[in-house]
Amino acid sequence: MIRRGFQVAARLGHHGTLPGGPYILPTFSPASAFGSSMDSLFSRFCQEKTDLKNYALPNASWCPGMLNLYHEFLEKTKAYGWIRLPSFKSNRNHIQGLELPLVLTVSSDKSDCHIFTRCIETEGQGYEYVIFFHPSKKKSVCLFQPGPYLEGPPGFAHGGSLAAMIDETFSKTAYLAGEGLFTLNLNIRFKNLICVGSLAVLNVDVEKVEDQKLYTSCVAQSTDQQTVYAKASGTFLQLQLEEDSSQY
Amino acid sequence: MIRRGFQVAARLGHHGTLPGGPYILPTFSPASAFGSSMDSLFSRFCQEKTDLKNYALPNASWCPGMLNLYHEFLEKTKAYGWIRLPSFKSNRNHIQGLELPLVLTVSSDKSDCHIFTRCIETEGQGYEYVIFFHPSKKKSVCLFQPGPYLEGPPGFAHGGSLAAMIDETFSKTAYLAGEGLFTLNLNIRFKNLICVGSLAVLNVDVEKVEDQKLYTSCVAQSTDQQTVYAKASGTFLQLQLEEDSSQY
């Protein structure tokens, strides 16, 4: 059903690109998500008591600029409504007890899976990032330091690594802001290259929620805001996860 | 100069989004690229005699469908004008003796860098792919098998991993078809999820070359063409690399 919903929404978003229709989206009720409220979604996502490794904590590879901004935002979590999002090895850890119905048909070894943006374990080599989220403002800030394994043009981050970082920040924001589950569209305009090992700050906003879709925007720039690396927009489909039947 | 050209072109493509202008693009002459012809670019890119590891060769992790298509296209390289592109650890290996002027200011340890789409060394865990390119048709086919370290939704490839694979296939195609160097824009419409470990076939075309820009398109779909995973378009800026001054 979710698969159908995904296809249908994709089609609705692009009249004429695929045959068929008209389609009717399944109804969506944020108030009844998971049979409770958005609080439940948050508490599952941001487990406080867990043995899981949280990859969004500072390590020796973080540049001074990233550490400084991290501590600035950490201060804002105390009084200004910002939340530091934990980042576990797999999305399974963030949606414990829930799943996509489609997963039932997938036979991959769950223990061997990594969320893409945490695919490289060695500190500093791959993705170093942390996302802060503001629920009432529906915005996020991602501090992103691409390592040397994310290279594209010699010495610079691959455009695809930034695209993935934007998609991941969009995804987490859309999910927590309104159960935006699937990326329907991602549009990125690249302006300048990011040096490997330097810091990019991604400012993400939910622009609107309409017709079961969340519309997001992103500006990725240097810490001093003098260099824009990219501007992006995204569209996410709102869908509710289901209880994980394998747990019963 | 290239940095300037990149910024300028980005601005030209998006009137009003950034202050300043009007700008004039530096002239571009394909015939004089590298002081020789496109043949030189090709021979640098596809070195036949090299000790470098070529990651685009079959390994035990490839699914039967990927192996079959690989051998089909390998046959086409003998008579139908297709070229199997090698894939080395870094783009530095593909542009030997050339570089972006900007790189001169980058102090990263070159030996420690990986092109993003070859960031995971263990066979089958990350990106498994091979690109075939047809110079006269200006098109490419990329066979892409995402491993479990490229996960997004449980059991499925992260949208960002597909975005990066599309960007990388676009990049190689744009570079070899007409010295398209920088991604200016990437737009992806996601239609269906790709199961981890299964095969996606990316069909890429250069749609047109105009005003120093290459316009590319991509359809990513299942082997039987019954499931479209994504449709994408890209814009690349044509720029010439410079001789690597550090070699003298």
Side-chain angles (χ1 to χ4, degrees), chain B residues 25 53 115 147 154 196:
Chain B
L25 285 173
K53 177 176 176 180
I115 185 167
V196 161

Side-chain angles (χ1 to χ4, degrees), chain A residues 14 116 158 168 186 188-189, chain B residues 14 158 168 186 188-189:
Chain A
H14 306 281
F116 178 46
H158 196 292
E168 177 59 17
L186 185 63
I188 304 177
R189 287 171 285 148
Chain B
H14 307 279
H158 196 291
E168 176 60 16
L186 184 63
I188 304 176
R189 287 170 285 148

Side-chain angles (χ1 to χ4, degrees), chain A residues 3 6-7 10-11 14 17-18 90-92 95 100 102-103 105-106 108-109 112-117 119-120 125 127 148-156 158-161 163-164 167-168 171 182-193 195-196 227-228 231, chain B residues 3 6-7 10-11 14 17-18 90-92 95 100 102-103 105-106 108-109 112-117 119-120 125 127 148-156 158-161 163-164 167-168 171 182-193 195-196 227-228 231:
Chain A
R3 186 181 186 87
F6 183 34
Q7 289 177 321
R11 290 177 188 191
H14 306 281
T17 58
L18 284 171
S90 167
N91 273 328
R92 288 183 177 85
I95 57 168
L100 309 176
L102 272 177
V103 168
T105 64
V106 176
S108 64
D109 177 6
D112 194 30
C113 288
H114 278 241
I115 184 167
F116 178 46
T117 47
C119 66
I120 299 167
Q125 273 186 348
Y127 278 97
Y149 279 42
L150 269 55
E151 199 184 54
F156 298 95
H158 196 292
S161 74
D167 183 44
E168 177 59 17
S171 297
F182 291 107
T183 316
L184 293 175
N185 185 258
L186 185 63
N187 188 17
I188 304 177
R189 287 171 285 148
F190 296 93
K191 305 284 188 180
N192 281 290
L193 295 171
C195 284
V196 161
T227 306
V228 174
K231 293 188 174 187
Chain B
R3 186 181 185 87
F6 183 34
Q7 289 177 320
R11 290 178 188 192
H14 307 279
T17 58
L18 284 170
S90 166
N91 273 327
R92 289 183 176 85
I95 56 168
L100 310 177
L102 272 178
V103 169
T105 64
V106 176
S108 63
D109 177 6
D112 194 31
C113 288
H114 277 241
I115 185 167
F116 178 46
T117 47
C119 66
I120 300 167
Q125 273 186 348
Y127 278 96
Y149 279 42
L150 270 54
E151 200 185 53
F156 298 95
H158 196 291
S161 74
D167 183 45
E168 176 60 16
S171 297
F182 290 108
T183 315
L184 293 175
N185 185 257
L186 184 63
N187 188 18
I188 304 176
R189 287 170 285 148
F190 296 93
K191 305 286 187 180
N192 281 289
L193 296 170
C195 284
V196 161
T227 305
V228 174
K231 293 189 173 188

Side-chain angles (χ1 to χ4, degrees), chain A residues 18-37:
Chain A
L18 284 171
Y23 299 99
I24 299 169
L25 285 173
T27 55
F28 177 81
S29 166
S32 66
F34 316 136
S36 57
S37 68

